Structures are given as structure tokens and as C-alpha cells.
């Protein structure tokens, strides 16, 4: 949008592999520098009007020593192979957080090199060039294009020639990159709302089993306090991204999140960040990568800014004014006329198109075979063989195939199976079928959740657990420490009544958890939590205003003992 003032974004996390071919000379030079410094070297330099400090040090390596020469013929006069680290920090004043900088992990690379694990097993990594070095960069709050020139200055600061790393090899690639803004907590709610752009992006653009999609909606902080919008995110692969941003080619994740203890403090960190992030793990095509050339980093910045500003705009938050935003040490709430693009997300158009497909078929009237096909798909919640539909309804298989051809906008057929095309279409079909059957609303909601889970590739047991969680849980998550189950608000007469309800729900949840094939240890080592709402004076008839709410929590393993 040329000539329009838009809020500026700031760079945040950035991880990348910078590969440099042309020989092992930079590795040998770093080895000499470390030895000359007695194990470490320090330096400093100026860049971008700032002073930067550098520390070079080393760590052990599992690379097998090649002997006198590498496989490619280079003399290797080093007895102990080391890997090197560079710590680079911008010198900031006392008022700043000290989080502007990066760390480099530097390893030698040559064709035929081997590594050895602690069990003595060796493997040969795939090296995309003859000889050189790999520099793994992990940094934050630095413009993406500045990392390579900064790295050259860093080498010079520890007495290693910058000419060794003049041009990154084409195999270099970005591993993570984020741009963000910080929005005042009073206005950020529409972004993470249940009908906001994050939820609608993930929900409406979900195909059944193709590609990659990630959704998280967490409103409880690590300390157990309920914090709306604590961590909400949606990630889409490149194909799904292009349904909203046709000019984009990179997969992305959008994220609304707060600092770990931000809700308990005052100042900028109290207010949430909203970021757009590139993650290679979201690629549908696993052979794809994104390089580190200036043109590729410019594209990365442009796509992330487009994605970020468009989602904020879709939530109804002004992107042409600094008023809704909060500056921090690395994000300045200011606008500029720099050419960027704000896209009107076609989410309502996608929703309307999907609704029209269902409405048209229902309005035209469905034959008994078509009803049976849709009902079977809804009930099954996943892929079904046409033969199963024929057997279920007592129809000839040819009738089933003809019916599927007539409703091809609703279903997808391949490899001898049929499934509903999209989650949102599936839910509309599900609602229609269920309402036509029995008008039982609870069955509609639970079935929709089970169908949605099954469409993500989950089996019947997992679908049943997701349906249980949809009905009884405000939020649940599984980590290395176990399962956390948030039961939300429990209306009870007294503490004993609350515990009876909690035990009943959790015992049912455990049964369904085990039926998914999940670990009993993961469940038993987890915790539950709930907000128990009960009368302030149990023996008196009270109005709702005379009720109190207590936060209650406990260990899941204790439930079976009560």
C-alpha cells in the first residue's frame, strides 16, 4: 500500500544455517585464534551505529578425526577436533533487556566425514559441498538481512578473515523467523477470540488429511491463572496459506502470546505480542527450504509483514495508527509509508462458498443413497470404503458410486475410499444430517468434534476422547511432564458435590484416554484444575451473586484413590 502509513513491525527470533564452501581455512583460523587466546578470544566492533561485543570459545565434538588428510585431500594437522561458538551481543544501556544478539555454532564439513555417538556408532552426514563450514545462527531482535554482514564483522573481531565467509552456499537455509508487534491488552482480544482470525484461519482452511496444520488455544498460564489469549496460534502449510495469500509461497504460523509472568507485572511486557513466524516444519513439500540470500530474506520479511498486518486488520484493529500498540525495548510503536501490503482475508468468502455447496445440495434434495453416504461419513468420522456405505444401507454398489458422483463437491474419493472434503463443510453436513435425524443438539456438538478430530487423522478412540474434552474441558494439553486437564467452571452445591462431579468426569476421561492407546503414566503423572463455583453460605438459599468461586487443583493419580 504505497503512500499509506502502516504500523512498523519488529524482527524477533531468527535461526538459520549459513553454509560456506571453499575449504576448511576458516575452521583452521578459528582453531588458531582459540589456541592463541588460551581457550577463548574476545573482541568488539561497531555496526549500525551500535557497539557489539564478541566472545569466541569452543566445545567438544563428535566428529571423527580424518587423520592426516580429509577424503578430499586437505592436510588436517589437528589432533583434537573442536567445534566453536561465537556469542555476540549489542551493548545496551541499563534500561534495556539485553536480548539483542545471537550465538553461532561452527562446525567443519567435508565429504565423507563421519560422526560417532556415545555408543560408538558412526554415520556419514550428507554434505552438499566439498569442504567448508556450517554456521548455525540463533538470534533475536536483529533485522534478518543484518546477520550475514554482522557475521563477517564478528570474524574480523576475532582475527579471522571475513573473506572466508563472503558468499553463503545455496544449501544455506532459514530454520525460524518471526516478526511481531505488541498490542495493548485491552484491544487484542478480537485476534484470539473464538470467532477471530486465528481460529477461522485454522478452522476454515483445514483439508482432511493433507499437508500440515497446527492449532493451539491456551488461556491458562503456567501458574494456573486464567489469562485470556495467553497462547493462541495457528500454523498452515504453504498450500493453505495460498488460499488466503495467493502471492505467498512460504508456510507460516500466527501467534498471540503473553510473557510467562506478564499478567502479574506492569509495563510493556504485560501486553501481548502478535507475531507471524516462518517454520520449515510446516512445509507440505518436505524437499522445500528457504535460503538466506538478500532477495530471499527480503521475501521472508515481506510475507511475514503481510501476514501479520492482515490478521490484525481482519480483527478490526487499526494498522494505520500507533495508538493500539505498546512499545518495548525492541519494538517501536510507530508508522511509516514503507511499501507493504494489507490483504482483506477472504475467510468469510471461503465460509460462504462452503456453506453454499452444502445448502445447494440440501435444497435440491438428497436421494436415500446420498443421505446414507453422508450419514455414514458423519457417523464414522473419517475415511469409508464405498462398499461399506452400500452394505450399511443395503444399496447396490453402483448406486453408491452414482450418488457419490452427484455430491462430489462434498466428498473426496481416492484409493478406494471416500471422506468429507473440509472440516467446515463436514460440520455443516453433520449438523444437517443430525438435525434431520433427531434434533439432538448435544449429539451435534460432540459428533462435530469427533469428526473434526478424525479428519485430522485420529482414530475412533482418539475422536471419542476429543469429544469428551470438548464437552467437559476448558483446555487440556500433554507435555513431557504429563497431562494437564482444565475442567473450567464447575457449578456445585458444596465442596463434596464438586469433587463428585470432578471424579466422574476425570474417570470417564481416563478411560477414553487409555482407549486411544496413550500412556497411562502420562495421565497418572498429570494434574487437573477447575474453578468451583458454589454458594457462599451452603445452608441458605442464595442468589447467584452470593456465590464464590475457588480455584481447585490436584493430581490425576489421586482421583482413583478417592
Amino acid at each position: 500500500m504505497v503512500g499509506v502509513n502502516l504500523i512498523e513491525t519488529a524482527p524477533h527470533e531468527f535461526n538459520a544455517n549459513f553454509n560456506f564452501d571453499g575449504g576448511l581455512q576458516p575452521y583452521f583460523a578459528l582453531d588458531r585464534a582459540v589456541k592463541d587466546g588460551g581457550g577463548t578470544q574476545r573482541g568488539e566492533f561497531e555496526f549500525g551505529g551500535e557497539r557489539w561485543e564478541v566472545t569466541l570459545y569452543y566445545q567438544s565434538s563428535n566428529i571423527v578425526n580424518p587423520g592426516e588428510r580429509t577424503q578430499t585431500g586437505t592436510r588436517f594437522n589437528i589432533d583434537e577436533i573442536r567445534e566453536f561458538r561465537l556469542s555476540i551481543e549489542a551493548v545496551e544501556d541499563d534500561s534495556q533487556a539485553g536480548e539483542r544478539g545471537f550465538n553461532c555454532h561452527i562446525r567443519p564439513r567435508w565429504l565423507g566425514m563421519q560422526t560417532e555417538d556415545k555408543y560408538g556408532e558412526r554415520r556419514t552426514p550428507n554434505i552438499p559441498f566439498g569442504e567448508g563450514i556450517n554456521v548455525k545462527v540463533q538470534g533475536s531482535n536483529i533485522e534478518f538481512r543484518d546477520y550475514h554482514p554482522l557475521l563477517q564483522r564478528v570474524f574480523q573481531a576475532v582475527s579471522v578473515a571475513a573473506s572466508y565467509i563472503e558468499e553463503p552456499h545455496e544449501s544455506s537455509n532459514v530454520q525460524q523467523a518471526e516478526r511481531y508487534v505488541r498490542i495493548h491488552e485491552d484491544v487484542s482480544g478480537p485476534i484470539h477470540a473464538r470467532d477471530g482470525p486465528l481460529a477461522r484461519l485454522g478452522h476454515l482452511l483445514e483439508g482432511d488429511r493433507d499437508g500440515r496444520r497446527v492449532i493451539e488455544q491456551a488461556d491458562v498460564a503456567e501458574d494456573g491463572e486464567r489469562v485470556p489469549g495467553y497462547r493462541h496460534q495457528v500454523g498452515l502449510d504453504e498450500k493453505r496459506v495460498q488460499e488466503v495469500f495467493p502471492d505467498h509461497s512460504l508456510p507460516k504460523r500466527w501467534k498471540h502470546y503473553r510473557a510467562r509472568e506478564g499478567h502479574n507485572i506492569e509495563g510493556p511486557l504485560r501486553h501481548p505480542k502478535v507475531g507471524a513466524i516462518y517454520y520449515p516444519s510446516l512445509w507440505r513439500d518436505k524437499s522445500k527450504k528457504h535460503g538466506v540470500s538478500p532477495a530471499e530474506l527480503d521475501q521472508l520479511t515481506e510475507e511475514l509483514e503481510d501476514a501479520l498486518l492482515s490478521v490484525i486488520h481482519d480483527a478490526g484493529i487499526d494498522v494505520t495508527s500507533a495508538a493500539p500498540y505498546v512499545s518495548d525495548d525492541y519494538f517501536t510503536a510507530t508508522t511509516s509509508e514503507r511499501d507493504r501490503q494489507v490483504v482483506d482475508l477472504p475467510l468469510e468468502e471461503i465460509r460462504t462458498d462452503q456453506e453454499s455447496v452444502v445448502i445447494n445440495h440440501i435444497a435440491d434434495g438428497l436421494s436415500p443413497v446420498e443421505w446414507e453416504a453422508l450419514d455414514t461419513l458423519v457417523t464414522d468420522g473419517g475415511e469409508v470404503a464405498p462398499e461399506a456405505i452400500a452394505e450399511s444401507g443395503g444399496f447396490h454398489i453402483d448406486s453408491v458410486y452414482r450418488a457419490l458422483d452427484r455430491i462430489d463437491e462434498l466428498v473426496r474419493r481416492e484409493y478406494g475410499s471416500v471422506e468429507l472434503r473440509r472440516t467446515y463443510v463436514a460440520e455443516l453436513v453433520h449438523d444437517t444430517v443430525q438435525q434431520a435425524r433427531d434434533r439432538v443438539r448435544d449429539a451435534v456438538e460432540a459428533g462435530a468434534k469427533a469428526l473434526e478430530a478424525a479428519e485430522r487423522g485420529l482414530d475412533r478412540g482418539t475422536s471419542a476422547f476429543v469429544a469428551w474434552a470438548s464437552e467437559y474441558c476448558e483446555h487440556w494439553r500433554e507435555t513431557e511432564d504429563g497431562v494437564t486437564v482444565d475442567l473450567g467452571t464447575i457449578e456445585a452445591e458444596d465442596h463434596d458435590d464438586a469433587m463428585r462431579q470432578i471424579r466422574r468426569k476425570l474417570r470417564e476421561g481416563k478411560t477414553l484416554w487409555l482407549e486411544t492407546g496413550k500412556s497411562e503414566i502420562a495421565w497418572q503423572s498429570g494434574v487437573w484444575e477447575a474453578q468451583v463455583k458454589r454458594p457462599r453460605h451452603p445452608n441458605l438459599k442464595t442468589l447467584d451473586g452470593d456465590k464464590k468461586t475457588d480455584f481447585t487443583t490436584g493430581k490425576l493419580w489421586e482421583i482413583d484413590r478417592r
Side-chain angles (χ1 to χ4, degrees), residues 430-455:
H430 176 269
D431 288 348
T432 304
V433 170
Q434 291 296 87
Q435 288 170 13
R437 296 293 186 190
D438 54 19
R439 302 284 182 181
V440 180
R441 179 170 179 169
D442 290 343
V444 173
E445 294 177 349
K449 288 297 184 181
L451 173 60
E452 183 178 354
E455 284 189 307

Side-chain angles (χ1 to χ4, degrees), residues 25 80 120 133 169 196 214 226 240 285 324 403 417 447 510 520:
Q25 286 76 14
E80 179 186 358
I133 58 172
H169 187 264
V214 175
R226 190 171 305 281
R240 292 192 177 110
D285 181 350
S417 66
K510 178 185 176 183
E520 183 174 5

Side-chain angles (χ1 to χ4, degrees), residues 182 230 257-263 265 269-272:
R182 193 179 292 277
Y230 182 69
Y257 59 110
R258 292 174 176 266
R260 185 179 297 270
E261 297 293 334
H263 55 286
I265 63 175
L269 295 184
R270 182 177 182 84
H271 304 279

Side-chain angles (χ1 to χ4, degrees), residues 35-55:
K35 290 174 178 175
D36 290 345
T40 186
Q41 281 278 10
R42 300 184 185 276
E44 61 179 52
F45 61 93
E46 296 283 334
F47 182 88
E50 294 179 285
R51 189 162 64 89
W52 298 73
E53 294 180 339
V54 184
T55 301

